[in-house]
Amino acid sequence: MRLSELLSKAPANEEAQVERFLNARLPWGKHKTIEVGKVAINFKCKTCDNVRTFMSGDKLSCLGVGERVVSIDACLKCPVCKATIEAWFLVVSRDELDVQAPTVRLERYVDNRRDIASRIGVGAGDFDDLLERAQLAYEERLGAGSMVYLRKIFEAITKQVADIASIPTIGNNGGRKPFRNLLQEVDEQYHIIPLAFSSDGYKLFSELSEIVHGDSNEEVALQKYYPCRSLVIGIIQNVASDQEMKRAIDALGWNINGLNVPSSGAIVP
């Protein structure tokens, strides 16, 4: 595998053995131009209003950061309208960086899209906006912040499925129904919780809430981010694929892309 193939999988923190890309150790603070193939990442180009594969040139800029760490900069261009964005990759090696076939990991990835492009979501309309905000918070190492957005999605889709199914969200005392009870009623009727997690769907919300309210440290939040994100995406997909739910949404003149999810707000508990 060439290094460009690994970088093209960003933002996933993949690890792989790659072809040699440095012939000698790169000292701290020293730059070197490397030829490792073109980096290609899919974005939705806002000028084209379509998904495009933004590609780098043949040469990338590599900066020595540590004995086994390099920083790589790339400029990615839309192949149609030629709009450009910047991308930065922090690459860490298990071995010396200048060995024949180093095993390296994409430790961190940042892109500067400058409102030129947006990342590709999971096809869930407004939920994609919140998922992207969660991902960006994670990439900035804001564990609690990333969980805030995941919890907003979980709450929003559960309450709106309840609305579609005519399940009351107000309790007997006139106040808001406890979320645990609402989730149980919604899941019993529409099975929105992924099967692998169906034994205790509220546990996911508890995990998110515990982190959001400061009962867990940032490192733990970051470790739990991807499992929680996968489960939240599973809930979105379950709702989107349920035929009875689709009929109910259509009858109301809605669609999964139009569910009303707040997409603004600061990253705070």
Side-chain angles (χ1 to χ4, degrees):
M1 174 186 289
R2 302 192 76 183
L3 180 60
S4 61
E5 296 177 58
L6 180 71
L7 302 183
S8 295
K9 296 180 180 181
N13 298 113
E14 297 277 345
E15 182 179 69
Q17 190 173 48
V18 299
E19 296 176 7
R20 172 184 280 173
F21 60 94
L22 290 173
N23 293 322
R25 181 176 174 272
L26 187 61
W28 176 87
K30 297 296 184 181
H31 282 275
K32 182 178 179 59
T33 298
I34 58 175
E35 297 186 50
V36 294
K38 294 185 178 183
V39 177
I41 302 178
N42 290 332
F43 294 95
K44 183 174 181 181
C45 177
K46 294 189 177 182
T47 301
C48 299
D49 194 27
N50 211 335
V51 174
R52 304 294 188 202
T53 300
F54 282 62
M55 299 190 70
S56 72
D58 294 315
K59 298 179 180 180
L60 304 178
S61 175
C62 184
L63 171 68
V65 177
E67 281 191 19
R68 299 183 181 183
V69 185
V70 291
S71 169
I72 298 174
D73 294 320
C75 184
L76 308 179
K77 181 184 293 186
C78 172
V80 178
C81 72
K82 309 305 180 184
T84 61
I85 63 176
E86 298 78 46
W88 171 73
F89 310 85
L90 190 68
V91 175
V92 179
S93 176
R94 285 189 186 181
D95 326 290
E96 296 299 324
L97 281 161
D98 57 347
V99 299
Q100 185 65 38
T103 298
V104 298
R105 182 181 75 257
L106 179 57
E107 179 75 12
R108 194 172 178 199
Y109 162 75
V110 176
D111 53 44
N112 180 21
R113 287 168 279 125
R114 293 177 285 107
D115 205 33
I116 287 171
S118 59
R119 292 191 185 177
I120 307 303
V122 298
D126 290 340
F127 290 128
D128 276 342
D129 178 63
L130 288 177
L131 284 169
E132 180 173 352
R133 288 168 184 263
Q135 181 66 28
L136 292 175
Y138 171 78
E139 290 170 12
E140 292 298 324
R141 314 302 290 169
L142 301 172
S146 66
M147 292 298 192
V148 167
Y149 288 115
L150 294 181
R151 192 177 74 156
K152 286 176 71 174
I153 295 171
F154 195 176
E155 287 181 316
I157 196 167
T158 301
K159 290 174 182 176
Q160 293 193 29
V161 170
D163 185 28
I164 293 170
S166 298
I167 296 173
T169 58
I170 303 300
N172 295 331
N173 60 359
R176 188 169 58 179
K177 184 179 293 185
F179 186 76
R180 178 192 293 271
N181 298 346
L182 182 63
L183 175 62
Q184 182 177 351
E185 292 179 48
V186 168
D187 193 48
E188 284 176 355
Q189 187 165 340
Y190 283 105
H191 307 294
I192 67 171
I193 301 298
L195 184 61
F197 206 68
S198 60
S199 61
D200 188 3
Y202 188 76
K203 186 174 181 180
L204 169 58
F205 189 77
S206 297
E207 289 275 7
L208 297 173
S209 298
E210 180 180 332
I211 292 167
V212 167
H213 291 301
D215 297 327
S216 183
N217 62 47
E218 286 288 283
E219 191 59 37
V220 170
L222 292 169
Q223 290 171 3
K224 291 184 176 181
Y225 169 73
Y226 271 114
C228 287
R229 176 185 169 89
S230 296
L231 290 165
V232 167
I233 289 175
I235 293 171
I236 296 171
Q237 292 172 335
N238 279 357
V239 173
S241 64
D242 185 280
Q243 293 303 312
E244 185 178 352
M245 180 62 63
K246 281 184 178 179
R247 288 193 293 271
I249 289 171
D250 290 342
L252 292 169
W254 299 0
N255 58 66
I256 190 64
N257 290 334
L259 288 177
N260 178 27
V261 182
S263 58
S264 62
I267 305 176
V268 293

